[in-house]
Amino acid sequence: MHLSKILLRWIVAALLATIAASAIAQTPSVSSLAQQIGQAETELRTVDGLLDGRVDADDQKKLRGRAVAAQQSIGDITDQLQQQATLVDARIAGLGPVTPGVVEPAEIGAQRKLLAQQRGLIDAAIKRGGLATVESKQLIDELDRSRAQQFNEKVTAKVFSPLTPSYWRAILQSLPRDLRRTELFLTQGTSQIRAQWKNSLPWQVLLGLVLGLVLLFPVRVRARQFGQRFLVEGAPGHRVRRSANALWRVFTGTLAPLLAAAALVQGLRWSGLLPERWSGMLDAFVMATGFSAYTAAVSGALLMRHGPSWRVAPIDDATASALRPLSWMLAGLSFVSILASALNRAIGTSQPAQVATQTLTALLHLLLIGVFLIVLGRLRTNRADTEQQPENVKTSAGIGLGTLLAWVLVASALVALLLGYIALSLFIAWFISWATILGITLYLLMAAVDDVATSMFVRDSRLGVTVTRALGVRPSMVDQFGVLLSAVLRVALILVALGLLVTPFGGSAGAGEMFGRLGILAQGVEFGGVSISPANILRGVIVLFVGLALVRGFMSWLENRYLPITDLDGSGRNSVSLVARYVGIAIAFIWALASLGIGVERVALLLSALSVGIGFGLQAITQNFVSGLILLAERPIKIGDLIRVGTDEGDVKRISVRSTEIELADHSTLIVPNSELITKSVLNKTMASPLGRIQIQFSVPLDSDAQAVKAMVQEAFAAEDAVLTDPAPAVFVDGIVTGRIAFNCFGHVGHPRAAYSARSAVLMTLLQRFRAEGIDIGTVPQRIELVAYDPSLPTPPVPTSGT
């Protein structure tokens, strides 16, 4: 047995040593990490050296990507060094401090010295990485400033106005040179085409052409029909089918023309039919085809001219029919603009020719935007004439404000064009067009996200029922999760759209820079020593939900298992339960704050600051706030209860942390501070029991048959449908006063609100029966004695105040 224990210990030690050795082997050494930092520094110096010369926008974009990659590499290396520093610090702490006057063993001293050397090397590498990070940040900022400066110089550049003769004189002077370059460009292309033609069209071109036509027409049409049929048969809910169909139309309408153009261009390249100089034109042709196809597809998916039932946006048929041709014009104009710009670059046209091309492009875009605004204004005018009241005033006002802003931008672009700021005018025109396309895309995506989230996570769906049964959550929580998920995804889409808004105009380095900035945003900001970031907030929310779930589980155990077996009465158990709940919730919130980096000392500081404000006049607000929490926790008054506060009686409509709203019988609202409901007497007629009681008191002459009167009252109660049989009505003789028999009768109705009408109906029945039976009904009579006045008698003294 002893031998087996020894063997087991050796085996465990060997396993631990193997695991430790593998972990050490997987951890990069400090020297290798420092070498990687040196490589990143070399890359940053190379980028910095390339910036000494003249660098265009495309090269700056590439250099910025290299600098960002080096910065990210340095950040990852620094994180690894920090982890190793933490491990070394833990080992140093494990050795303990050096005790003065005590000689340490040689092994511990050597280990302490080795750890100190490792910590020094790590510190040096961390500081080197920090300096490299600062250098990379400065380099990236310099690149951003340079690119922004170049973009601003390009946009604000002023040339001759198209209204001046100098503008046209420059074009005419450069026209021969531009014609010569164009002729050379075309001659080189046609010469190579004749050389490669060989009396027959190359099979690669035929293959690319046929494949492009197949993709453009039958494949695109069949794919659209297949998607629509699949959605009709298998997609859950009309909203999801409608949104998915719109996105599918955008996907097929963009991908099919793009692949068709790529197939045709690839066939031309494989055949060698076109010269290398035309390669840029071919790439521009593919890009122009894809962008124009996307423009036509996304606008068509929004308008749905031939499928009103599949339309996502609330657009009528007249608007869709009127705007659809304009969307095709925008797609065609975008196609021509991209090709014209690429043709100018390929030919190498003069500056006046490029300015003339920009002028024509800007003018056509502004003309199309103006026509769109005019058509939209006429449609809104016609709708306003036919409709008495717009369905959505806020939406109509928003469209009107957007139209006004668009007109202001168009007017500004036209003025800039006439003054000679051609690039600025073109930028405004392209910006309006791109913002329109991006806005349509954002609208479709947000509608799809909302439809999918609120259709999948709903209590009646298959997923909702599964989640409710598996996790035991309330059905309303499934609905809430769907709405919250939709909101979070739509906010994310808006952030991405804002990042893409200026991407095509040089305002961003593309999607990489946008997501890089989003990553910086995700790292958060420092505020008062606390890091605020989306990740920390999400962690805090998760911790809070976990803490509240633990509190809920503990309260279930406390109320259902522990407290019932104690000797406490119901009131004592309720008090213990309430105190435990409040303490648990407080601990859960403190735990969540601690996960955010907010310690208890900061919470105490905040509470102390609040106590100063409370001492200077917030007592009433705090009292009402605490009273509101008590009302919401203990629920002595609930929404829908019928209560009486003083002389006012009504239904509770709303309970907030400051006040409670009560709707009175005259439909007015009584706002009562919560402290009034806690510190004063309140009559709650529906708290303990939902039943209502009616009371009828009357008297009959002494010679009346009391049994007959009792029978009449019981019959009147039985004849009224609102009066319950359980509890049964009761009729009592309350007394005999001055020759009359006093009766006190009780009956119950299903709700206190039905007591008044039921009492009136019973009284009407009793009055009719007593009149028919000749029974005099009334209250206790009062005796009035008339005394004759005798002047000889002394006058009684008049009482004065205080007597």
Side-chain angles (χ1 to χ4, degrees):
M1 178 65 71
H2 183 68
L3 181 60
S4 63
K5 288 184 179 180
I6 295 176
L7 291 176
L8 181 60
R9 291 177 181 175
W10 277 102
I11 293 174
V12 171
L15 289 175
L16 293 177
T18 303
I19 295 173
S22 62
I24 295 173
Q26 292 176 1
T27 303
S29 62
V30 178
S31 59
S32 63
L33 294 177
Q35 185 178 2
Q36 294 178 17
I37 293 177
Q39 295 175 357
E41 290 175 340
T42 303
E43 177 71 8
L44 291 175
R45 295 191 187 97
T46 303
V47 173
D48 192 11
L50 293 175
L51 290 177
D52 295 337
R54 181 66 179 175
V55 183
D56 58 9
D58 294 335
D59 293 337
Q60 284 185 354
K61 180 178 179 181
K62 295 177 182 179
L63 292 177
R64 190 186 188 282
R66 293 172 60 180
V68 170
Q71 184 186 38
Q72 294 177 351
S73 176
I74 294 171
D76 295 338
I77 296 171
T78 305
D79 291 340
Q80 296 181 23
L81 290 172
Q82 291 287 356
Q83 294 175 4
Q84 293 192 14
T86 302
L87 295 176
V88 172
D89 290 339
R91 296 176 64 183
I92 293 175
L95 293 178
V98 178
T99 305
V102 178
V103 180
E104 291 184 334
E107 294 83 0
I108 296 179
Q111 185 70 17
R112 191 185 300 276
K113 182 178 180 180
L114 179 61
L115 291 176
Q117 293 177 355
Q118 292 180 357
R119 191 64 174 87
L121 293 175
I122 293 174
D123 286 340
I126 290 175
K127 293 179 181 178
R128 185 179 178 184
L131 293 175
T133 301
V134 174
E135 181 182 355
S136 63
K137 185 178 180 180
Q138 293 176 350
L139 186 59
I140 293 172
D141 292 341
E142 181 182 355
L143 282 168
D144 291 338
R145 288 194 298 269
S146 177
R147 293 179 66 240
Q149 182 178 1
Q150 288 186 5
F151 178 74
N152 293 332
E153 292 176 355
K154 178 181 177 182
V155 172
T156 57
K158 187 178 183 301
V159 297
F160 295 114
S161 171
L163 301 179
T164 60
S166 302
Y167 175 86
W168 302 101
R169 188 183 302 114
I171 294 177
L172 293 176
Q173 290 176 357
S174 61
L175 183 60
R177 183 171 66 253
D178 292 331
L179 291 177
R180 184 172 62 254
R181 292 180 179 179
T182 303
E183 183 180 3
L184 178 62
F185 179 78
L186 295 176
T187 300
Q188 291 177 353
T190 54
S191 299
Q192 184 163 347
I193 290 174
R194 284 195 299 267
Q196 296 292 335
W197 192 275
K198 297 179 182 179
N199 298 325
S200 61
L201 188 65
W203 66 271
Q204 296 92 337
V205 178
L206 287 176
L207 179 62
L209 180 62
V210 172
L211 183 59
L213 293 175
V214 170
L215 289 171
L216 189 59
F217 294 104
V219 172
R220 180 176 61 87
V221 174
R222 294 294 183 185
R224 180 179 298 177
Q225 293 175 352
F226 169 77
Q228 193 169 2
R229 185 171 60 253
F230 173 79
L231 292 174
V232 170
E233 295 175 355
H238 173 69
R239 293 171 55 197
V240 176
R241 289 196 296 267
R242 185 185 58 185
S243 302
N245 178 68
L247 296 182
W248 180 250
R249 286 176 64 94
V250 174
F251 179 76
T252 56
T254 304
L255 187 62
L258 181 63
L259 292 179
L264 178 60
V265 168
Q266 194 62 37
L268 291 173
R269 283 176 171 165
W270 282 347
S271 65
L273 195 62
L274 299 180
E276 184 64 26
R277 190 178 178 185
W278 287 29
S279 179
M281 282 291 299
L282 297 179
D283 295 335
F285 172 76
V286 175
M287 184 177 66
T289 302
F291 184 77
S292 59
Y294 179 78
T295 302
V298 74
S299 57
L302 178 73
L303 297 174
M304 285 289 180
R305 181 173 56 175
H306 300 298
S309 60
W310 292 90
R311 192 173 295 151
V312 177
I315 301 175
D316 54 62
D317 295 340
T319 304
S321 300
L323 297 182
R324 184 54 177 161
L326 298 179
S327 66
W328 282 109
M329 293 181 187
L330 178 60
L333 184 58
S334 302
F335 180 82
V336 174
S337 301
I338 296 175
L339 282 185
S341 178
L343 183 62
N344 284 332
R345 290 195 301 269
I347 295 176
T349 56
S350 62
Q351 182 68 19
Q354 295 181 10
V355 171
T357 304
Q358 293 177 357
T359 303
L360 181 60
T361 303
L363 190 60
L364 291 176
H365 273 86
L366 293 175
L367 180 62
L368 181 60
I369 295 170
V371 172
F372 170 80
L373 294 176
I374 292 173
V375 171
L376 187 62
R378 288 181 178 178
L379 290 171
R380 295 181 68 233
T381 303
N382 296 334
R383 189 180 301 110
D385 294 338
T386 56
E387 297 178 0
Q388 297 293 332
Q389 181 72 20
E391 296 182 359
N392 195 329
V393 178
K394 293 183 179 180
T395 303
S396 179
I399 294 176
L401 183 61
T403 304
L404 178 61
L405 179 61
W407 274 119
V408 171
L409 291 176
V410 169
S412 302
L414 286 175
V415 172
L417 184 68
L418 296 178
L419 293 178
Y421 294 96
I422 308 299
L424 178 60
S425 177
L426 182 60
F427 167 75
I428 295 175
W430 277 351
F431 184 81
I432 296 175
S433 302
W434 172 243
T436 303
I437 297 171
L438 189 62
I440 295 174
T441 306
L442 179 63
Y443 181 85
L444 293 177
L445 289 176
M446 290 178 65
V449 163
D450 183 64
D451 293 340
V452 172
T454 55
S455 297
M456 290 179 59
F457 293 96
V458 66
R459 65 181 68 188
D460 298 332
S461 65
R462 182 180 303 177
L463 180 61
V465 173
T466 303
V467 171
T468 303
R469 293 178 178 177
L471 302 181
V473 298
R474 296 190 303 271
S476 60
M477 294 187 64
V478 180
D479 298 337
Q480 295 171 17
F481 178 78
V483 175
L484 292 175
L485 179 63
S486 171
V488 170
L489 293 179
R490 284 186 291 176
V491 170
L493 289 174
I494 292 174
L495 293 177
V496 174
L498 291 177
L500 293 174
L501 186 60
V502 294
T503 298
F505 310 106
S508 174
E513 180 182 349
M514 181 190 67
F515 287 107
R517 292 183 178 181
L518 290 178
I520 295 175
L521 178 63
Q523 294 177 2
V525 295
E526 292 288 337
F527 181 77
V530 179
S531 177
I532 301 177
S533 65
N536 289 342
I537 294 175
L538 180 61
R539 181 171 63 249
V541 171
I542 293 175
V543 169
L544 178 61
F545 274 103
V546 171
L548 293 178
L550 293 176
V551 172
R552 183 179 180 182
F554 172 74
M555 292 305 302
S556 177
W557 170 83
L558 183 67
E559 295 173 351
N560 299 327
R561 297 293 302 276
Y562 179 74
L563 290 179
I565 63 175
T566 61
D567 296 332
L568 297 174
D569 56 4
S571 178
R573 289 199 296 266
N574 184 61
S575 300
V576 172
S577 176
L578 287 176
V579 172
R581 180 179 289 109
Y582 293 149
V583 172
I585 293 175
I587 293 175
F589 274 97
I590 293 175
W591 188 19
L593 293 176
S595 67
L596 294 175
I598 303 175
V600 180
E601 67 280 358
R602 297 181 183 272
V603 178
L605 182 62
L606 178 62
L607 292 178
S608 62
L610 289 177
S611 64
V612 176
I614 293 172
F616 278 100
L618 298 180
Q619 297 95 333
I621 297 177
T622 305
Q623 185 180 10
N624 290 325
F625 177 78
V626 175
S627 301
L629 295 180
I630 295 174
L631 288 177
L632 294 174
E634 297 183 357
R635 304 184 70 189
I637 298 173
K638 302 182 294 296
I639 295 177
D641 283 352
L642 179 62
I643 67 173
R644 177 181 294 172
V645 181
T647 59
D648 298 310
E649 180 176 299
D651 298 323
V652 178
K653 292 300 182 183
R654 182 174 179 267
I655 301 176
S656 64
V657 294
R658 189 192 67 83
S659 61
T660 298
E661 297 178 3
I662 303 172
E663 184 179 359
L664 304 181
D666 59 353
H667 302 290
S668 61
T669 300
L670 177 65
I671 300 176
V672 182
N674 289 330
S675 58
E676 296 288 327
L677 302 177
I678 295 298
T679 59
K680 296 184 179 180
S681 300
V682 178
L683 176 62
N684 191 339
K685 293 187 175 183
T686 56
M687 179 180 179
S689 174
L691 300 182
R693 193 188 73 166
I694 60 177
Q695 182 180 11
I696 299 176
Q697 293 178 318
F698 62 91
S699 64
V700 297
L702 188 58
D703 56 353
S704 301
D705 189 354
Q707 292 294 334
V709 173
K710 179 179 179 180
M712 291 179 189
V713 175
Q714 291 177 342
E715 291 174 0
F717 278 132
E720 176 57 34
D721 295 334
V723 177
L724 302 177
T725 59
D726 186 18
V731 181
F732 301 97
V733 175
D734 197 31
I736 300 175
V737 182
T738 62
R740 300 186 67 88
I741 305 174
F743 282 88
N744 196 1
C745 312
F746 300 95
H748 292 83
V749 292
H751 198 276
R753 296 177 181 85
Y756 194 82
S757 59
R759 183 174 182 274
S760 175
V762 173
L763 283 174
M764 293 291 291
T765 303
L766 286 177
L767 289 174
Q768 185 178 3
R769 288 290 306 274
F770 289 162
R771 186 176 293 109
E773 297 293 336
I775 300 175
D776 179 26
I777 183 174
T779 58
V780 177
Q782 295 182 355
R783 178 179 298 177
I784 301 176
E785 296 183 356
L786 299 178
V787 180
Y789 174 69
D790 188 356
S792 62
L793 295 176
T795 303
V798 179
T800 60
S801 59
T803 59

